[in-house]
Amino acid sequence: PLVTQCVNMEQRDPGWKLFGKVPPREGPVKDPKRIQKFVFLWFFSDPFLFFCHQEYETKSGRAGPGNPTSPRQSVRKNLDFEPLSTTALILEDRPANLPAKPAEEAQKHRQQYEEMVAQAKKRELKDAQKKKKQLEDRCKLEDSIGSAAQTWNQEILPNWSTMCTSRRVRDLWWQGIPPSVRGKVWSLAVGNDLNITHELYSICLARAKEKWKTTPAPSSETETEDAGSSDRESSLELIKLDISRTFPQLCIFQQGGPYHDVLHSILGAYTCYRPDVGYVQGMSFIAAVLILNLDTADAFIAFANLLNKPCQMAFFRVDHSLMLTYFAAFEVFFEENLPKLFAHFKKNNLTPDIYLIDWIFTLYSKSLPLDLACRVWDVFCRDGEEFLFRTALGLLRLYQDVLTCMDFIHMAQFLTRLPDLIPAEQLFQHIAAVHMTSRNRKWGQVQSASYYS
Amino acid sequence: METIWLYQFRLIVIGDSTVGKSCLIRRFTEGRFAQVSDPTVGVDFFSRLVEIEPGKRIKLQIWDTAGQERFRSITRAYYRNSVGGLLLFDITNRRSFQNVHNWLEEAQSHVQPHSIVFLLVGHKCDLEAQRQVTQQEAEKLAGAYGMRYVETSARDAINVEKAFVDLTRDIFELVRSGDIKIQDGWEGVKSGFVPNTVHSSEEVTKGGRQCFC
């Protein structure tokens, strides 16, 4: 006795001609057909069952060939799928060459069979409802992004200086800037105190290119003398090596990738614009995120202005004593917001530099999924450096329960390699719940107070 | 259930940027070679158990540091609490070998009053054709500083296990002989939870169930 279950995983195209079901025609859907069929075989007590289960069939799938739909419509229609009673469980008696089942046993098997059908249907319905809900949510999100983009483009951006501090804009800002206007908003919010023009960028870039040409490739014989003092020079070399290590999984900044040269140019131009700062590891991630949202010259302007902010300057110049004031201020708010976790960290000698350095240097772009990092950047552009530390507290608050059960090394590993899936809404709720006042003092006051102490 | 170990050693891995520190550690702790990895900003953490004698396990806590010179003011704070260190250079990059001296000086001036047992590692030994540092001169340098020398490749998994295990054994002997002592307020060596008499994992699971919360 054998039960065979065929589960067809593809929703739009059952493509399975059993029991007279004709596979529905595909609507004009973008993604290629991906049909996965899994066939499980296993032994079962007695009923000779052949169980074929088709998960879902979509309404649009039933649309005939004379009913053309636009891709968008068809995508929309696909949302309304419903579970079909395609769970075709067939109960058969034993083959004729075997002795028949006793009536009692047959009855039992019929009952088992009915239970199986009922359960399968229930599961089907539940899955379908879940999928439907997910798609509805995604649609809602798309719609809200669409309408938000319109609001930003038509109402906010044209009246930036008057509107950017209004309550409504700030609320909208918190919810995340639509990707299509993100670059523009970042540029406006970061500003251009340095008054960098596109021309200046071209000049810096030309200078960088000149340098690349004149700096010979490192060879074993030529530079035996000044090994230790070569940090500045080797930063040009380091840029080259780091570019291919920037978001390697995206495959766009690597040699031959579409943004390789752009990233190289911006980082090179910056070392000519600020030779006193030069290239510091972590910068390539910031430049890369900007490149993904802005044109090259504008990305450079935003990059240079962003790095010019006090907190970023302190970190990228690796001004250790100044960095310590940021860590000290952070700990004040940490203790205030999460006293239990703070005590646990203290007990385990887990100091904030261990996780904050990476988070602050790369503005979370290395440690958070990119879309979530961009949302952090959104509010960072609105609220300034304070938000970077508030985000850190939000993350600690989100993972407070797991962290309190870990020892030093597990916490350190957890925080330097955050989970791949971080629930965005939940994280932002936790960030929102973090209070950024301590004994009536705001972040800036606490930070500068620790500077003088 | 946490696996039980006799001691925990904190090791620090240093050396110029792109000599392959993270790749070496990942080969050792994860058993695979990462074709692409992002630059380490600040410090990264890894851990693995090493069995140096049957039933004697050491937990290694490995601190992977940023290689860029600019970060040294940050990473130098991490020397003090390390008992051992792997000092890497890239055998295909002469400059990284010349910097070994600077790294050692840097470490020695910031580890006082403790000291670090160092192992000199010539990395990327699979790239023999591009070699710029001979094994002899590296051995000579290591000898001058009283270190062992080993050539490794994370890509081809050559000597990776040996590098970490040899260093661990050396430290273990120094702990056993009393030359390195466990001290309060020093994280370099921590004692485990199990008496030395425990020799099999079975006994360990029977007796040593502990909560780490």
Side-chain angles (χ1 to χ4, degrees):
Chain A
L2 192 67
V3 174
T4 311
Q5 186 182 23
C6 320
V7 182
N8 189 326
M9 301 300 282
E10 174 61 36
Q11 296 167 13
R12 279 192 290 271
D13 187 358
W16 198 236
K17 283 191 199 181
L18 269 181
F19 315 124
K21 266 202 173 302
V22 180
R25 286 280 293 256
E26 275 259 33
V29 190
K30 266 182 280 170
D31 43 320
K33 283 185 198 177
R34 197 166 44 84
I35 302 170
Q36 292 171 298
K37 292 192 182 87
F38 298 104
V39 179
F40 306 105
L41 299 170
W42 72 90
F43 293 95
F44 194 73
S45 62
D46 193 65
F48 185 76
L49 289 179
F50 187 67
F51 175 20
C52 182
H53 171 190
Q54 288 185 318
E55 270 208 328
Y56 312 107
E57 190 178 341
T58 64
K59 268 187 185 168
S60 76
R62 268 183 257 144
N67 187 7
T69 46
S70 80
R72 183 151 180 90
Q73 272 176 321
S74 116
V75 168
R76 282 292 152 116
K77 271 197 172 172
N78 273 341
L79 303 182
D80 308 325
F81 59 74
E82 57 186 26
L84 292 175
S85 50
T86 52
T87 309
L89 265 171
I90 296 165
L91 179 65
E92 283 186 47
D93 285 332
R94 281 183 191 163
N97 58 343
L98 296 171
K101 290 186 228 178
E104 209 176 289
E105 202 183 338
Q107 171 66 29
K108 197 179 107 197
H109 289 154
R110 198 167 300 118
Q111 208 179 330
Q112 284 176 340
Y113 157 78
E114 273 157 13
E115 277 165 20
M116 282 173 74
V117 173
Q119 269 177 13
K121 279 195 175 166
K122 218 166 119 188
R123 205 167 38 232
E124 224 179 25
L125 191 72
K126 221 170 125 191
D127 282 354
Q129 280 167 342
K130 204 172 124 196
K131 283 241 164 75
K132 194 176 167 193
K133 174 97 178 43
Q134 277 175 352
L135 277 164
E136 276 172 1
D137 286 351
R138 205 178 305 160
C139 249
K140 234 194 263 169
L141 187 71
E142 254 174 48
D143 286 345
S144 77
I145 289 173
S147 71
Q150 222 172 11
T151 313
W152 281 95
N153 266 321
Q154 292 172 3
E155 293 178 48
I156 304 168
L157 290 176
N159 309 299
W160 180 253
S161 52
T162 52
M163 282 188 84
C164 70
T165 50
S166 75
R167 181 74 210 218
R168 184 170 149 252
V169 172
R170 288 178 63 84
D171 286 347
L172 211 56
W173 205 329
W174 177 271
Q175 286 155 26
I177 302 169
S180 58
V181 289
R182 187 165 257 154
K184 246 182 253 165
V185 177
W186 286 358
S187 278
L188 285 166
V190 170
N192 187 4
D193 286 347
L194 298 168
N195 288 317
I196 300 172
T197 57
H198 286 203
E199 288 68 42
L200 182 58
Y201 168 64
S202 307
I203 293 166
C204 292
L205 180 59
R207 237 183 256 167
K209 284 185 171 160
E210 202 56 44
K211 259 196 181 169
W212 292 332
K213 250 187 267 162
T214 53
T215 312
S219 75
S220 51
E221 305 309 319
T222 50
E223 352 179 22
T224 40
E225 304 308 315
D226 60 340
S229 61
S230 56
D231 189 37
R232 296 291 183 277
E233 288 73 35
S234 68
S235 81
L236 279 178
E237 209 182 301
L238 193 55
I239 289 174
K240 277 188 204 152
L241 293 165
D242 272 359
I243 287 174
S244 58
R245 303 200 288 171
T246 306
F247 295 122
Q249 69 285 6
L250 293 183
C251 299
I252 50 176
F253 297 106
Q254 281 59 46
Q255 189 86 50
Y259 289 121
H260 173 271
D261 293 346
V262 181
L263 184 54
H264 195 192
S265 298
I266 289 185
L267 295 173
Y270 186 75
T271 60
C272 289
Y273 176 70
R274 284 302 293 264
D276 58 322
V277 180
Y279 170 72
V280 183
Q281 290 186 316
M283 280 184 183
S284 64
F285 286 84
I286 296 184
V289 173
L290 289 169
I291 287 167
L292 293 174
N293 289 282
L294 284 161
D295 290 335
T296 310
D298 291 326
F300 178 77
I301 295 170
F303 181 69
N305 279 284
L306 199 61
L307 296 194
N308 200 45
K309 308 234 171 244
C311 173
Q312 273 57 48
M313 255 309 135
F315 276 73
F316 280 107
R317 288 183 126 156
V318 198
D319 182 336
H320 207 226
S321 53
L322 203 49
M323 283 166 73
L324 289 176
T325 67
Y326 282 98
F327 298 148
F330 171 78
E331 287 200 293
V332 169
F333 291 95
F334 185 1
E335 185 170 21
E336 196 115 328
N337 280 278
L338 306 161
K340 220 179 102 199
L341 190 64
F342 181 77
H344 182 64
F345 274 37
K346 277 274 171 208
K347 201 181 84 196
N348 285 281
N349 285 327
L350 186 75
T351 47
D353 52 309
I354 280 168
Y355 47 95
L356 281 185
I357 285 176
D358 180 80
W359 293 354
I360 304 297
F361 265 94
T362 64
L363 301 176
Y364 295 94
S365 56
K366 197 151 88 72
S367 34
L368 291 182
L370 198 52
D371 53 340
L372 192 49
C374 283
R375 279 198 63 186
V376 172
W377 280 46
D378 288 344
V379 190
F380 163 60
C381 288
R382 189 192 80 171
D383 293 359
E385 65 184 40
E386 170 186 326
F387 190 72
L388 298 176
F389 297 93
R390 196 175 178 195
T391 301
L393 291 172
L395 278 164
L396 296 179
R397 197 175 189 277
L398 173 63
Y399 294 113
Q400 177 165 217
D401 293 342
V402 279
L403 287 166
T404 25
C405 282
M406 291 179 178
D407 60 0
F408 171 87
I409 189 72
H410 289 105
M411 286 192 283
Q413 283 182 307
F414 184 90
L415 293 171
T416 47
R417 254 160 292 167
L418 291 169
D420 289 333
L421 286 171
I422 298 175
E425 286 318 312
Q426 239 174 300
L427 173 61
F428 271 79
Q429 278 164 16
H430 281 276
I431 296 173
V434 171
H435 300 293
M436 288 309 271
T437 46
S438 163
R439 293 181 209 135
N440 279 328
R441 291 182 308 164
K442 288 188 188 314
W443 167 263
Q445 293 166 299
V446 174
Q447 193 268 322
S448 53
S450 57
Y451 181 74
Y452 293 110
S453 63
Chain B
M1 163 91 206
E2 178 101 7
T3 331
I4 302 299
W5 33 271
L6 205 54
Y7 293 109
Q8 173 182 284
F9 296 163
R10 185 180 288 184
L11 307 182
I12 190 164
V13 181
I14 55 173
D16 278 8
S17 194
T18 70
V19 297
K21 297 180 289 298
S22 305
C23 282
L24 182 76
I25 302 172
R26 287 174 76 168
R27 167 61 86 180
F28 177 66
T29 57
E30 295 164 14
R32 61 192 179 87
F33 178 66
Q35 281 292 346
V36 283
S37 66
D38 35 38
T40 307
V41 176
V43 59
D44 253 338
F45 300 88
F46 297 86
S47 65
R48 212 195 103 172
L49 279 173
V50 169
E51 192 158 42
I52 47 162
E53 280 170 32
K56 286 205 168 111
R57 277 181 296 244
I58 306 288
K59 184 171 181 172
L60 297 181
Q61 192 185 90
I62 305 164
W63 289 46
D64 179 19
T65 61
Q68 197 183 7
E69 190 173 328
R70 197 72 64 85
F71 286 101
R72 288 197 195 173
S73 64
I74 296 171
T75 50
R76 65 171 58 122
Y78 304 137
Y79 290 120
R80 210 191 74 88
N81 277 305
S82 307
V83 68
L86 287 92
L87 205 177
L88 262 71
F89 70 89
D90 171 357
I91 65 150
T92 71
N93 177 349
R94 180 133 199 109
R95 193 193 288 158
S96 69
F97 177 65
Q98 286 155 348
N99 282 341
V100 162
H101 172 76
N102 298 329
W103 280 109
L104 270 181
E105 250 182 17
E106 165 87 9
Q108 268 148 13
S109 62
H110 290 96
V111 72
Q112 308 290 351
H114 308 278
S115 66
I116 295 183
V117 182
F118 268 115
L119 172 75
L120 185 64
V121 180
H123 195 43
K124 305 191 188 176
C125 73
D126 54 296
L127 303 172
E128 190 57 46
Q130 287 141 262
R131 182 188 278 274
Q132 294 182 355
V133 181
T134 67
Q135 192 162 347
Q136 289 79 1
E137 59 183 327
E139 267 164 3
K140 202 176 139 201
L141 183 77
Y145 287 114
M147 297 186 276
R148 279 181 196 257
Y149 175 65
V150 64
E151 295 203 337
T152 58
S153 161
R155 181 152 73 191
D156 293 353
I158 301 167
N159 283 342
V160 176
E161 200 73 16
K162 180 179 161 55
F164 283 92
V165 173
D166 282 0
L167 180 63
T168 306
R169 282 221 176 88
D170 288 350
I171 298 168
F172 180 70
E173 286 309 322
L174 291 167
V175 172
R176 188 145 66 177
S177 67
D179 290 322
I180 295 175
K181 291 188 183 67
I182 300 169
Q183 294 167 47
D184 272 347
W186 183 60
E187 307 278 334
V189 180
K190 295 237 158 184
S191 144
F193 307 97
V194 187
N196 295 9
T197 48
V198 173
H199 284 297
S200 79
S201 54
E202 248 172 88
E203 286 171 71
V204 168
T205 39
K206 263 188 231 158
R209 204 173 282 269
Q210 301 213 13
C211 175
F212 295 85
C213 295

